[in-house]
Amino acid sequence: MQRNKVTTVTFREMKERGERITMLTAYDCPTARLVDEAGIDAILVGDSVANVILGYKDTLAVTMEEMLHHTRAVARGVKRALVVGDMPFMSYQASVEEAVRNAGRFLKEAGAEAVKVEGGREVLDKVEAMIQAGIPVMGHLGLTPQWVHRLGGYKVQGRKQAAARAILEDAKKLEGVGVFGIVLECVPWQLAKLITERVRVPTIGCGAGPYCDGQVLVLHDLLGLSQLSPRFVKRYADLATLVRGALRRYVGEVRAGKFPTLDHSYEMDEAEFRKLKKSVGGGRESSV
Ligand code: KIV
């Protein structure tokens, strides 16, 4: 059954109906198509493309141009899911004007339908201005990888009362300026549950336990294509082993002359081939 196109309004409606929201990352057209066909509600073109695909050591280096390039590819493969473009480090932190212009580029040039930004009170004025400009924004609290140097590493956030309270306050502030959803990454499940109960916008967990309104994972983690994956990831497939096996068989068969066979070849009509031979002469000295 083809379900209706997901919009940012659907997010709020799903929370109100108690329906869980499914979200995954994708970075290119063919995988976005597969994810969309699986019935996922939202696809995040995450800045995790930096380490998952582009080989950077963290997400800080990825540029606006790279994010737009991947978002375009994803948008071309998607029919139903909501496409969310992740704003890269320093594309929205410096000023309100830069934030609005860059967010606008995701919608205008890349086919995204919303953007995601990391942070709470620090970026509130930017988030508010983007929403005022008609750009739907998703928040991201807890472990925010773009803030890794300020956080002192990739650690679970909000374990202590004061830090947990600050995250809850940030969630309320983001709700107040009109975000349509909030990713909660690597926070204790009790805090995620409390936030989920206290805000009307859907919370999307990522290492935040089972009580959020939805769940997001990095696609390559769940497919077993990442070298390392955090404790909160469940692997639904081991594609790395499958891919390695297939590649080894290919290398072996080409070396052994087992592939390609005539079954994988195109054939010329015999009469045409005879004419060709006649025209070029049969001998080795032929110039063709
Ligand atoms: O970039 C990303 O993939 C993310 C998700 C992990 C939420 O921000």
Side-chain angles (χ1 to χ4, degrees), residues 54-66:
L54 300 176
Y56 294 121
K57 77 173 176 14
D58 54 37
T59 58
L60 304 192
V62 72
T63 64
M64 266 302 290
E65 298 314 317
E66 286 167 329

Side-chain angles (χ1 to χ4, degrees), residues 25 27 44-49 59 86 116 118 140 145 183 185 206 216-218:
T25 65
Y27 314 105
L44 172 67
V45 189
D47 63 350
S48 51
V49 69
T59 58
D86 210 0
K116 175 172 85 56
E118 295 182 9
H140 183 161
V183 170
E185 180 167 351
C206 184
V216 59
L217 280 183
V218 166

Side-chain angles (χ1 to χ4, degrees), residues 274-286:
R274 267 200 304 276
K275 280 193 254 168
L276 172 70
K277 289 256 276 271
K278 203 167 162 197
S279 75
V280 298
R284 287 182 142 270
E285 69 286 353
S286 159

Side-chain angles (χ1 to χ4, degrees), residues 142-159:
L143 173 53
T144 44
Q146 292 178 15
W147 302 76
V148 59
H149 297 300
R150 202 176 92 172
L151 298 177
Y154 299 98
K155 301 172 191 165
V156 176
Q157 300 294 307
R159 281 191 193 271

